[in-house]
Amino acid sequence: MMVLAIAAEKGGVGKTTTAVNLAAYLADRVGKVLLVDMDSQGQAGMFLGFTTEGEDRAGMYEMLVFSDPLDPTYRPADELITLNVRDGLDLIPNNPRIAQAELEIAGREDRHMILAERLKEVSDRYQLVIIDVGPTVNLASLLALYAADAVIVPVAPGAATRAGVEGLRTRLRAMRDRLGYAPALMGVLATMIDRRERLSRNLVPDLQEAYGPTYAGHIRRNVHLAEAPERGLTIFEYKPRSPGAIDYMALGDWVAERAELVPSR
């Protein structure tokens, strides 16, 4: 099982859009995929038309807080996963209660390892786990990164775009120094690309030159990528022939090759 984090230093760069559509495409291509929502806004679930609002449904709070097998409150990880939100795609949903979970586990010496250990409980079920990491530097994002084998960083056109990638790399180096482990940088992904705009035209060659083989390609700006989550749909369900769908298929193939994922058919 490979664990891949989608992380960015700031919001608004297509991070959740990438996590959801990449997970959906690879679930269809390679079989069972687990999508883990570690953003307190719970957007990964909402993008799929899934909500915990008004429902007594378990998710990331229970995954983190009731994680000690020696404690009577322990709940096995497989009981906390929402199965088949799409064919081949399972979900661990999130909501603002994760802030409370951070407070409740803050005193544990092994707190940074909790999510990694929980995912090991279901490692025989999935080829791939994709984590949507919140942009805030907090305990939840640390848990997500510590659980990951590799990271993809989405970058949108704008001022100081490479600073976001370098900021995350600095954070990973600090993790390694402090905890003895950090995930590898698998890819840097250019998002919201519009070739008619100068910033977009400059971003792609800049990232290609700076990051070489870790450049993961680009996602074109496409209104359908914004409309799909409003309907609780992936881009492949909403507009399967759109530029957004084509670009996320290419990204999925790129990830599958590097992660050596085995096609389901």
Side-chain angles (χ1 to χ4, degrees), residues 2-241:
M2 178 172 190
V3 181
L4 176 63
I6 311 298
E9 288 282 281
K10 64 177 183 176
V13 297
K15 173 181 63 66
T16 299
T17 297
T18 296
V20 168
N21 288 298
L22 182 61
Y25 175 70
L26 288 173
D28 181 68
R29 173 172 168 170
V30 306
K32 294 295 285 185
V33 171
L34 176 63
L35 177 61
V36 178
D37 190 348
M38 284 296 282
D39 191 322
S40 61
Q41 297 180 59
Q43 287 191 331
M46 288 190 290
F47 276 30
L48 292 166
F50 176 91
T51 178
T52 57
E53 186 176 349
E55 301 180 35
D56 184 20
R57 182 176 275 140
M60 187 51 64
Y61 173 87
E62 291 80 6
M63 186 70 71
L64 299 180
V65 173
F66 305 136
S67 57
D68 184 353
L70 301 179
D71 192 294
T73 63
Y74 170 74
R75 297 184 62 179
D78 59 1
E79 294 182 1
L80 305 174
I81 295 171
T82 301
L83 302 176
N84 297 316
V85 292
R86 294 295 189 275
D87 187 24
L89 180 61
D90 297 345
L91 171 71
I92 302 177
N94 201 358
N95 61 43
R97 290 184 70 203
I98 194 172
Q100 179 62 31
E102 289 183 271
L103 293 175
E104 294 188 38
I105 66 174
R108 288 179 51 171
E109 290 186 5
D110 66 341
R111 57 190 177 273
H112 61 283
M113 302 173 61
I114 292 175
L115 182 60
E117 293 300 315
R118 294 294 257 165
L119 293 178
K120 288 178 183 178
E121 294 182 34
V122 295
S123 61
D124 61 338
R125 296 189 175 196
Y126 303 101
Q127 277 204 71
L128 179 67
V129 176
I130 292 180
I131 306 178
D132 181 22
V133 184
T136 306
V137 179
N138 56 15
L139 180 55
S141 62
L142 174 64
L143 267 63
L145 292 171
Y146 191 86
D149 299 302
V151 182
I152 287 179
V153 185
V155 179
T161 51
R162 280 178 55 187
V165 182
E166 294 308 312
L168 186 61
R169 293 178 77 178
T170 298
R171 189 171 160 197
L172 295 178
R173 285 193 292 270
M175 266 186 69
R176 185 176 297 280
D177 291 343
R178 179 183 172 191
L179 301 174
Y181 173 77
L185 179 66
M186 174 185 277
V188 176
L189 175 70
T191 61
M192 304 180 185
I193 295 300
D194 185 340
R195 296 287 189 177
R196 296 169 297 181
E197 299 176 356
R198 179 181 58 82
L199 288 174
S200 286
R201 293 195 302 271
N202 292 344
L203 178 61
V204 170
D206 183 39
L207 294 180
Q208 288 174 325
E209 179 179 357
Y211 300 107
T214 60
Y215 176 69
H218 67 270
I219 308 296
R220 285 167 284 181
R221 183 185 298 277
N222 179 222
V223 67
H224 299 131
L225 285 171
E227 294 172 345
E230 294 178 355
R231 294 161 172 79
L233 299 173
T234 70
I235 190 62
F236 310 107
E237 295 166 325
Y238 181 55
K239 294 290 182 181
R241 298 182 180 178

